[in-house]
Amino acid sequence: MTADTDNDPSREPITAHEPARRSGSIVLVLLVAGGIVAVAIALMTIGRAQAQPYILGLLAMLAMVGLFSLFAYAAGIIRFADRAADDPVTGRIADLAYDGLVVTDSRGHVVYSNAAYLAITGAPTSLDARPVERVFIGNPDVSEAVFRLLKAAREGKRQQEEVRIAAGADGVQGRWLRMRVRPLGQGKRQAKYAVWSIEDITRDRERQEDVFQELQHAIEYLDHAPCGFFSVNPAGDLVYVNATLANWLDHDLAEIGSGGLKLTDIVSGDGASLLTSIMAMPGEDIDLRMRGGKTMPVRLYHKLAFGADGVPGASRTLVISRARDERPDPQRAAEVRFMRFFDHTPMAIATVDRAGAVVRANARFAKLAQSLSPDGAAGKSIFAAVSARDRHLLIAAINQAAEGQGDIPPVEAMLDGAKERWGQFFVTAVEEGERETEAAIVYLLETTERRALENQINQSQKMDMVGQLAGGIAHDFNNVLSAIMMANDFLLNAHKPTDPSFQDIMQIKQNATRAATLVRQLLAFSRRQTLRPQVLDLGDALSDLTMLLRRLIGEKVKLDLVHGRDLWPVKVDVSQFEQVIVNLAVNARDAMPDGGKLTVRTVNVTSEESGHLAYKGMPAADYVRIDITDTGTGIPADIVDKIFEPFFSTKEVGKGTGLGLSTVYGIVKQTGGFIYVDSEANEGTSFHIFLPRHHPELEVHPAAVNGAAKEPAEAKPRTDLTGQGTILLVEDEEGLRSLNARGLRSRGYSVIEASNGIEAMEALEEKNGAVDLVVSDVVMPEMDGPTLLKEMRGRNPDLKIIFVSGYAEDAFEKSLPENQQFAFLPKPFTLSQLVAAVKETMTPS
């Protein structure tokens, strides 16, 4: 143990050459132990009784020494010597260090300093060593940095500062110093001390300044070189442009390098694709775009830098102006014109060798190649741009060109890539002497949009033709069904439920009703059914359907309704809209035989959002979108374009008519909306319905038109359907006309029959206009229903009329004069529906 003198304020600073601690010695320990043993032996020789007082005295003395040592150690008066601190190797490392080292206590007193510190601070001996803050006191260049270091030392933190000491008046040169401070250790005792280090970094700073000056000179030379230079990174950002090029393009040099400009901002047309492509070659002629929009022709010597992993990095591009000067050069002018024709043509052009390798290409080809394969494969070989299915067609065409053949037919091929894209390749041969390096010139025109438009037009025309056919069939079939249903009503009236044939008659009625439903679906697809649109809140309408949908889809399928906030109103036929949702829900249920999830989601779509959607044929406007998504088996890609066709079904025989989705398509289209489908096999299907937003403020409210045009329903039967009056019945189908007349006469009406409009006018003249009601078909030979209405209203403006037709009311309403009132009864109808319509129309309102 050695005495601790840390509390002595009068102590002197010490260095490694003046140790302040005494090293402990094993010899002293052995001498003390030997003395104690000798005393014990001596006491044993004089007898136990005589030695006892001496033994007690010795033990008492040792106890007092031990007790004093414990109190002294607890008070810090004595301490155990630190053998590691007395290691001469450790001490010499600190004392002979190159950097100046000084240790200060919490009061700022120096407790240690090495020789380097003394040399840097100019102190002759360790007794003259001063703390850092006193050495540089009064120096304004250093005082702020020293203050920050001193603050860090007091807080027990690490801090580093680099300061420059100005040259003195005595000729002392200026120098750079790096100052550091840190606590001595982690313990509470060591944390009271701070270790300061000072390093002279003047030579390092001078070398850095020399390098910086050389770099400045190089940048100065490059900036004001007689040619332009720029560098662009793989993201297309300009990271450097020299002053010459910036001056040519009239750009502010400060904008460049800070994210202000991209390659596409200074390169005209598709020229940027040439520079970012893997196959970029030196000597590219392109147009650069100036700030004002003008272009200037240049020749680029372009090189890409590649990393160790083969990924392209920043470019090095030299720019030589090809603009006209005072000396006319016809050859250069011709080259510029050809460059502009070659690079700015909307057709991709490339010259290839026999193996399909691209020798030279224009900007449009480079852009197309990058879009097909980001790895650059299509830019190296033209065969990589074509799908494997059609690649042999292009190979054969290039082989023909390599043999010098002319008039090679164009090749229509699918392009390679993630999406379905198509292109038309025109291949021509080159001159015979040039076929060693270039076998053919290939012109590529992408036809993806053209094919999509052709398919869309063909599909639309096909759907329209099928719709016209379906509508015509439905109209003719309605006449047949009307006669069947009318005759069936007569049979039901003539037979009692107890008759043996009554059940057969009821079976006929049920099948006739089912056939009428199929006809209505055909009319829905052909968009010729009668709609009764009304303003509707889709959220409320779907909520009302929730119970019905849950019963339809069963317990295995989970129904999830997600309503959008503040949905816009729409104007639709409520019953037809419900049929759309029900049909799609049933199809979704059938696609999930093992259960799944059906999600119905509604959301507003603004005009701006709809304009960015990829759905073709839908103009930008405000819509309310309904998404119906299932987790079922999905729709195969080869039949997804056929699902809206009538009678197309993937279900088993007897489990579907094939009219469900075609009905949905027709109702949505007739409402003015759009429907699209997204589906993947085994991933599920999503139907997206877009219904136009209804603007009440833009709605025109005309005078009451067709006030009696409500379809009478059997849900509200009248107790008394008999009546009196004269009815003029106009129908070109003789069988149906006779049945209708018979039914009306059975209810007490007087009926005048006519087979067309001309006969009806003659009958009206014979009666001198004494007719209470006209029931007329719409489509008739010689004179149709609308023409008949005009003629009759011209003679009797108050004449009441009911039109019956298998077509929708809208199909002929446009051919009538405005504000014409009439009632409408769609075919097929039953006897009770006919007499109910007649009763309601003839009853004064």
Side-chain angles (χ1 to χ4, degrees):
M1 292 186 293
T2 60
D4 188 347
T5 62
D6 285 350
N7 295 325
D8 184 8
S10 63
R11 74 191 184 289
E12 295 180 354
I14 56 176
T15 66
H17 299 291
E18 301 171 347
R21 302 179 179 88
R22 287 185 291 110
S23 299
S25 175
I26 189 64
V27 176
L28 180 61
V29 175
L30 292 175
L31 289 175
V32 172
I36 295 174
V37 171
V39 172
I41 294 174
L43 292 175
M44 291 175 61
T45 59
I46 62 176
R48 182 175 181 182
Q50 291 80 3
Q52 186 172 2
Y54 297 102
I55 294 174
L56 292 176
L58 180 62
L59 291 176
M61 183 182 66
L62 291 176
M64 291 177 63
V65 172
L67 186 62
F68 171 76
S69 298
L70 289 176
F71 277 109
Y73 179 76
I77 299 174
I78 61 175
R79 58 185 174 84
F80 292 101
D82 186 358
R83 302 289 297 177
D86 295 333
D87 188 351
V89 176
T90 306
R92 292 183 63 82
I93 289 176
D95 195 53
L96 300 179
Y98 178 77
D99 297 340
L101 298 176
V102 62
V103 180
T104 61
D105 60 13
S106 59
R107 291 174 294 178
H109 295 159
V110 176
V111 298
Y112 170 80
S113 61
N114 68 353
Y117 181 78
L118 299 179
I120 292 175
T121 59
T125 65
S126 59
L127 296 175
D128 301 317
R130 294 176 296 167
V132 174
E133 66 270 18
R134 293 186 182 179
V135 172
F136 299 101
I137 188 171
N139 191 330
D141 298 331
V142 187
S143 57
E144 291 186 7
V146 172
F147 174 77
R148 290 191 293 268
L149 291 169
L150 189 59
K151 182 180 178 182
R154 291 171 179 172
E155 296 175 354
K157 298 180 180 178
R158 292 174 176 265
Q159 182 77 9
Q160 173 179 310
E161 298 283 348
E162 291 185 1
V163 296
R164 184 178 184 276
I165 308 298
D170 54 356
V172 179
Q173 295 182 352
R175 55 180 174 168
W176 281 90
L177 299 178
R178 180 181 291 123
M179 300 181 181
R180 297 188 181 95
V181 66
R182 62 176 177 83
L184 179 61
Q186 300 296 329
K188 183 177 181 180
R189 183 180 183 83
Q190 290 83 355
K192 295 180 180 180
Y193 297 93
V195 180
W196 297 72
S197 67
I198 301 179
E199 178 185 0
D200 191 339
I201 58 172
T202 305
R203 290 186 179 181
D204 294 341
R205 279 286 186 163
E206 289 175 351
R207 284 194 294 267
Q208 292 177 5
E209 290 181 1
D210 291 341
V211 172
F212 181 74
Q213 288 295 332
E214 293 177 0
L215 182 61
Q216 283 291 98
H217 290 315
I219 294 176
E220 183 76 13
Y221 299 149
L222 184 59
D223 263 347
H224 298 285
C227 59
F229 183 86
F230 69 86
S231 178
V232 60
N233 62 18
D237 300 320
L238 287 171
V239 295
Y240 176 76
V241 172
N242 71 344
T244 302
L245 182 58
N247 184 50
W248 287 352
L249 301 180
D250 194 24
H251 277 287
D252 186 0
L253 196 61
E255 296 178 357
I256 303 166
S258 60
L261 280 180
K262 293 184 175 293
L263 180 63
T264 53
D265 294 330
I266 68 168
V267 178
S268 179
D270 297 327
S273 299
L274 283 174
L275 304 184
T276 55
S277 64
I278 303 298
M279 64 168 197
M281 298 171 58
E284 295 287 351
D285 289 329
I286 65 172
D287 276 344
L288 294 185
R289 185 188 301 113
M290 303 171 66
R291 177 191 288 271
K294 296 181 179 180
T295 60
M296 64 173 295
V298 297
R299 169 164 290 183
L300 303 183
Y301 292 89
H302 180 65
K303 183 178 181 181
L304 289 177
F306 291 87
D309 53 357
V311 178
S315 74
R316 284 88 166 131
T317 308
L318 186 68
V319 184
I320 298 177
S321 175
R322 306 270 290 174
R324 295 179 180 177
D325 53 17
E326 293 78 6
R327 296 173 298 173
D329 189 347
Q331 181 178 357
R332 183 171 64 178
E335 290 177 354
V336 171
R337 284 197 300 270
F338 173 76
M339 176 270 295
R340 287 177 171 169
F341 292 149
F342 185 64
D343 276 336
H344 292 274
T345 176
M347 180 177 288
I349 306 174
T351 57
V352 298
D353 60 13
R354 288 177 177 266
V358 177
V359 179
R360 183 174 175 81
N362 68 346
R364 180 54 61 93
F365 183 88
K367 183 177 181 180
L368 181 63
Q370 288 179 0
S371 66
L372 292 175
S373 56
D375 60 352
K380 297 178 181 178
S381 173
I382 197 169
F383 296 146
V386 185
S387 68
R389 187 193 69 179
D390 299 335
R391 194 169 296 163
H392 67 283
L393 301 175
L394 184 59
I395 294 175
I398 291 178
N399 288 336
Q400 292 177 8
E403 299 297 329
Q405 296 185 19
D407 298 330
I408 301 174
V411 175
E412 186 85 14
M414 180 184 293
L415 303 180
D416 196 20
K419 298 181 179 180
E420 181 179 344
R421 298 171 65 180
W422 291 82
Q424 195 168 21
F425 294 83
F426 301 87
V427 183
T428 60
V430 299
E431 295 294 332
E432 186 173 358
E434 300 177 358
R435 292 176 190 166
E436 293 296 330
T437 57
E438 298 178 353
I441 302 175
V442 180
Y443 304 86
L444 170 57
L445 185 64
E446 186 173 359
T447 59
T448 304
E449 293 185 1
R450 190 194 72 186
R451 289 178 65 94
L453 183 59
E454 289 176 353
N455 292 337
Q456 183 179 355
I457 293 174
N458 293 336
Q459 181 71 9
S460 177
Q461 291 177 345
K462 181 177 70 173
M463 297 291 275
D464 287 342
M465 292 175 61
V466 174
Q468 292 177 4
L469 177 62
I473 294 174
H475 174 262
D476 294 337
F477 199 49
N478 271 332
N479 289 332
V480 177
L481 278 177
S482 295
I484 294 174
M485 295 172 70
M486 188 69 68
N488 187 262
D489 285 343
F490 288 137
L491 290 175
L492 287 175
N493 292 334
H495 291 74
K496 298 178 181 180
T498 56
D499 290 347
S501 58
F502 187 83
Q503 292 300 324
D504 296 333
I505 300 173
M506 285 299 299
Q507 188 68 31
I508 296 173
K509 181 179 180 63
Q510 293 173 1
N511 283 281
T513 303
R514 182 183 176 191
T517 302
L518 293 177
V519 171
R520 280 195 296 272
Q521 290 178 339
L522 283 174
L523 286 173
F525 168 73
S526 63
R527 290 171 257 169
R528 296 184 180 181
Q529 63 176 343
T530 300
L531 297 181
R532 305 296 181 194
Q534 64 186 66
V535 179
L536 186 67
D537 184 288
L538 289 183
D540 296 340
L542 290 173
S543 297
D544 294 341
L545 278 176
T546 302
M547 295 303 297
L548 174 61
L549 293 178
R550 293 190 191 278
R551 288 197 300 268
L552 286 173
I553 62 179
E555 297 180 354
K556 292 183 179 180
V557 179
K558 179 184 177 182
L559 177 63
D560 187 12
L561 268 68
V562 183
H563 297 303
R565 297 184 60 183
D566 302 325
L567 289 179
W568 294 322
V570 296
K571 194 169 185 178
V572 297
D573 186 303
V574 178
S575 61
Q576 299 297 332
F577 170 75
E578 292 176 350
Q579 183 178 355
V580 167
I581 303 300
V582 167
N583 284 4
L584 294 177
V586 169
N587 278 0
R589 177 202 64 191
D590 295 341
M592 298 181 288
D594 299 326
K597 183 178 180 181
L598 175 64
T599 304
V600 181
R601 187 186 306 272
T602 57
V603 67
N604 291 332
V605 180
T606 64
S607 177
E608 182 179 357
E609 293 172 343
S610 63
H612 290 88
L613 295 177
Y615 299 120
K616 296 183 178 180
M618 184 176 70
D622 291 341
Y623 297 95
V624 178
R625 189 181 74 193
I626 309 158
D627 298 330
I628 301 177
T629 305
D630 64 62
T631 58
T633 56
I635 304 174
D638 56 338
I639 66 171
V640 70
D641 293 333
K642 303 178 182 178
I643 60 174
F644 293 122
E645 296 180 6
F647 305 112
F648 178 83
S649 177
T650 58
K651 299 178 182 179
E652 299 178 6
V653 178
K655 292 189 176 181
T657 61
L659 290 173
L661 289 179
S662 60
T663 301
V664 169
Y665 176 85
I667 293 174
V668 173
K669 283 293 186 180
Q670 192 173 359
T671 306
F674 302 87
I675 182 170
Y676 302 96
V677 60
D678 293 324
S679 182
E680 293 185 13
N682 301 320
E683 294 292 336
T685 303
S686 293
F687 284 91
H688 309 287
I689 301 174
F690 294 85
L691 297 179
R693 176 185 181 182
H694 176 66
H695 297 274
E697 65 277 6
L698 302 179
E699 187 175 11
V700 179
H701 298 281
V705 179
N706 308 339
K710 296 181 181 179
E711 180 180 342
E714 287 186 298
K716 295 175 64 177
R718 294 180 180 272
T719 56
D720 182 15
L721 294 179
T722 61
Q724 294 180 351
T726 302
I727 298 176
L728 177 58
L729 180 61
V730 188
E731 172 63 59
D732 58 333
E733 292 285 341
E734 182 178 357
L736 180 59
R737 184 177 67 249
S738 61
L739 288 171
N740 289 342
R742 176 182 170 186
L744 292 173
R745 291 190 182 103
S746 66
R747 295 300 186 268
Y749 296 101
S750 176
V751 181
I752 303 172
E753 299 182 38
S755 60
N756 53 53
I758 296 178
E759 291 185 8
M761 291 301 300
E762 294 175 354
L764 188 63
E765 291 179 359
E766 291 178 1
K767 289 290 185 176
N768 295 324
V771 174
D772 299 308
L773 177 67
V774 177
V775 180
S776 173
D777 195 4
V778 175
V779 180
M780 296 180 295
E782 299 187 27
M783 181 184 291
D784 59 7
T787 305
L788 177 63
L789 175 64
K790 296 176 185 177
E791 294 291 335
M792 289 185 171
R793 287 282 170 83
R795 302 185 183 187
N796 184 2
D798 298 328
L799 183 62
K800 297 179 180 180
I801 187 168
I802 299 176
F803 280 125
V804 294
S805 177
Y807 289 115
E809 180 181 344
D810 297 340
F812 64 89
E813 185 179 7
K814 297 178 181 178
S815 60
L816 293 174
E818 294 184 1
N819 301 331
Q820 289 291 336
Q821 296 183 359
F822 62 90
F824 181 76
L825 181 63
K827 294 181 181 178
F829 49 82
T830 62
L831 175 60
S832 58
Q833 288 176 322
L834 175 61
V835 296
V838 170
K839 183 85 173 183
E840 184 177 359
T841 306
M842 293 184 66
T843 302
S845 58

